[in-house]
Amino acid sequence: AAGVIQSPRHLIKEKRETATLKCYPIPRHDTVYWYQQGPGQDPQFLISFYEKMQSDKGSIPDRFSAQQFSDYHSELNMSSLELGDSALYFCASSLGGPYISSGANVLTFGAGSRLTVL
Amino acid sequence: QQQVKQSPQSLIVQKGGISIINCAYENTAFDYFPWYQQFPGKGPALLIAIRPDVSEKKEGRFTISFNKSAKQFSLHIMDSQPGDSATYFCAAMRGNQFYFGTGTSLTVIP
């Protein structure tokens, strides 16, 4: 079965550079979530999209932006990178948006993109 | 504010033993409670989930016990194996809002 695809899997950037992470959700999933996970920490919610519109916003820095495209894939753009941005970034997808029973909204996670800022 | 509180932070269990991880929540609007298993460097993977109108759900060696009145739920791993060594996250959902617990690092000693 197709899973959530994230690219790149690993990324090394210098401080103040920019980075773009991509996420391809499970086919027919219409909701995408982005999470940031530091070492030994639980995943922190950044932002989510339903049907190409932002549906919820978490602790996403102003230096970060994201969007969901017509084919439902999503990109997380990170600018003016800081050392503290080094983390695993996970994308997750689900089906049904905010008005469907929660069982259908269970998140399926990708393998993650590891960002290292030097 | 942590919406879901999880304990313990770490757990060491002998092979064949029972691993128990506990979670508690406050928001009674939550209506679905999944558990995720995460291996180092990998994404969290759905393990088992339960609705609040069910008191227990079992899948293989994994069982969720749910106490709606106490707003608590727990994961029991029976006959724990070294391959179960991972970080476990409970979560609570309401619509498309999703909240993780703080995670429990489980180590199963051979």
Side-chain angles (χ1 to χ4, degrees):
Chain A
V4 177
I5 306 297
Q6 291 189 244
S7 67
R9 292 296 313 279
H10 301 273
L11 191 60
I12 299 175
K13 291 287 186 179
E14 299 278 343
K15 280 175 56 177
R16 292 179 289 277
E17 285 191 322
T18 61
T20 297
L21 306 181
K22 295 184 179 182
C23 170
Y24 296 86
I26 290 174
R28 295 186 296 280
H29 277 195
D30 51 18
T31 308
V32 169
Y33 303 76
W34 286 98
Y35 284 83
Q36 177 191 59
Q37 187 177 32
Q41 298 181 4
D42 59 303
Q44 295 297 311
F45 171 66
L46 295 179
I47 195 167
S48 63
F49 293 87
Y50 167 62
E51 284 291 344
K52 293 152 279 184
M53 299 287 289
Q54 180 181 310
S55 59
D56 200 3
K57 191 173 182 179
S59 53
I60 185 169
D62 292 339
R63 299 177 289 107
F64 292 10
S65 65
Q67 58 181 325
Q68 185 179 30
F69 294 86
S70 59
D71 63 351
Y72 295 100
H73 93 274
S74 178
E75 295 184 3
L76 177 66
N77 299 294
M78 300 174 284
S79 62
S80 303
L81 287 169
E82 303 173 357
L83 296 178
D85 296 329
S86 295
L88 266 170
Y89 289 82
F90 290 106
C91 171
S93 72
S94 70
L95 177 66
Y99 305 115
I100 305 298
S101 65
S102 293
N105 281 12
V106 172
L107 273 60
T108 301
F109 284 82
S113 294
R114 182 176 294 280
L115 172 65
T116 302
V117 181
L118 303 176
Chain B
Q1 181 184 2
Q2 192 70 33
Q3 295 277 346
V4 181
K5 296 181 180 178
Q6 183 172 344
S7 63
Q9 185 175 5
S10 62
L11 182 61
I12 300 174
V13 173
Q14 292 280 350
K15 178 182 176 182
I18 302 174
S19 304
I20 301 175
I21 304 171
N22 301 299
C23 287
Y25 64 98
E26 286 298 323
N27 189 344
T28 55
F30 291 139
D31 57 5
Y32 204 69
F33 300 87
W35 284 87
Y36 283 81
Q37 179 189 56
Q38 185 179 27
F39 293 104
K42 305 293 185 182
L46 178 65
L47 191 61
I48 188 173
I50 196 169
R51 295 188 179 279
D53 55 350
V54 176
S55 61
E56 185 177 283
K57 183 174 182 180
K58 183 176 181 179
E59 290 184 2
R61 297 184 294 109
F62 300 91
T63 299
I64 301 176
S65 297
F66 195 90
N67 186 331
K68 188 174 182 178
S69 60
K71 293 184 285 187
Q72 296 175 349
F73 57 111
S74 60
L75 176 69
H76 296 236
I77 305 175
M78 313 300 287
D79 186 26
S80 298
Q81 300 296 312
D84 297 331
S85 298
T87 299
Y88 292 81
F89 293 96
C90 62
M93 297 178 62
R94 178 167 60 93
N96 68 344
Q97 293 185 332
F98 189 94
Y99 301 93
F100 276 108
T102 49
T104 296
S105 176
L106 171 65
T107 302
V108 181
I109 300 173

